[in-house]
Amino acid sequence: MTEQGYRVPEVTKIVGITYRQLDYWARTGLVRPSVQDAKGSGTQRLYSFQDLATLRIIKKLLDTGVSLQQVRKAIGTLRELKEPPLGTTLVSDGNRIYAVHSPEAVVDLLAKGQGVFALAVDRVWTDLEGTLAKSSRRASKAAGSAGGA
């Protein structure tokens, strides 16, 4: 059974990024489509659910003010981990990004007076599942009402 792939227009809408961002990130290797990469003119990229989750994490990090260079390093490190990123919380002070595996580490950072944010990868994952389920239900309803007319 092959994995479902999400086309570029769906991806940009679901993740909340522009086509140019997605194209640049694919061409530079930040997030390459894992279901099907473009193979010349006329072929389309197909992204997996995991790709969508990674893209959403990148978008959220950029939205908080983390530089694209730092995001690239963080995503590279997440890929090198032997464990899946679910259960990981990302914390940043705007300059560095930390992967936190226990609440104590976050408390310690806050106690030192650094302003940080936390991004729970699990939450991005479940939010994305909800968004895709809603989108699928809307598409089914639209197809049903179009066929019944």
Side-chain angles (χ1 to χ4, degrees):
M1 182 174 156
T2 57
E3 183 176 7
Q4 177 182 355
Y6 298 91
R7 293 178 34 232
V8 169
E10 295 172 293
V11 173
T12 58
K13 191 174 189 178
I14 291 165
V15 177
I17 58 175
T18 66
Y19 170 80
R20 288 186 119 176
Q21 285 175 300
L22 185 61
D23 182 58
Y24 177 71
W25 296 347
R27 286 186 293 108
T28 59
L30 180 58
V31 178
R32 300 192 70 71
S34 60
V35 176
Q36 177 180 306
D37 205 348
K39 294 179 177 76
S41 181
T43 62
Q44 55 186 318
R45 295 179 179 130
L46 293 176
Y47 289 84
S48 68
F49 182 88
Q50 179 70 42
D51 297 336
L52 294 179
T54 302
L55 288 164
R56 266 221 180 152
I57 291 166
I58 291 167
K59 168 91 166 81
K60 287 182 177 288
L61 288 169
L62 291 172
D63 287 349
T64 63
V66 178
S67 73
L68 184 58
Q69 182 180 11
Q70 293 290 58
V71 169
R72 282 184 189 281
K73 288 179 187 176
I75 295 300
T77 301
L78 281 175
R79 286 184 180 132
E80 292 170 9
L81 294 175
K82 301 270 189 235
E83 310 165 11
L86 286 178
T88 300
T89 299
L90 303 179
V91 179
S92 177
D93 60 4
N95 294 316
R96 298 189 53 128
I97 301 169
Y98 307 92
V100 180
H101 299 284
S102 69
E104 293 79 26
V106 176
V107 172
D108 286 344
L109 288 174
L110 293 175
K112 292 181 181 176
Q114 290 185 318
V116 298
F117 75 92
L119 174 61
V121 174
D122 287 8
R123 179 66 187 251
V124 172
W125 193 273
T126 55
D127 287 350
L128 183 57
E129 286 175 330
T131 300
L132 293 174
K134 285 179 191 174
S135 177
S136 177
R137 283 194 298 269
R138 274 189 245 123
S140 295
K141 284 181 184 179
S145 61

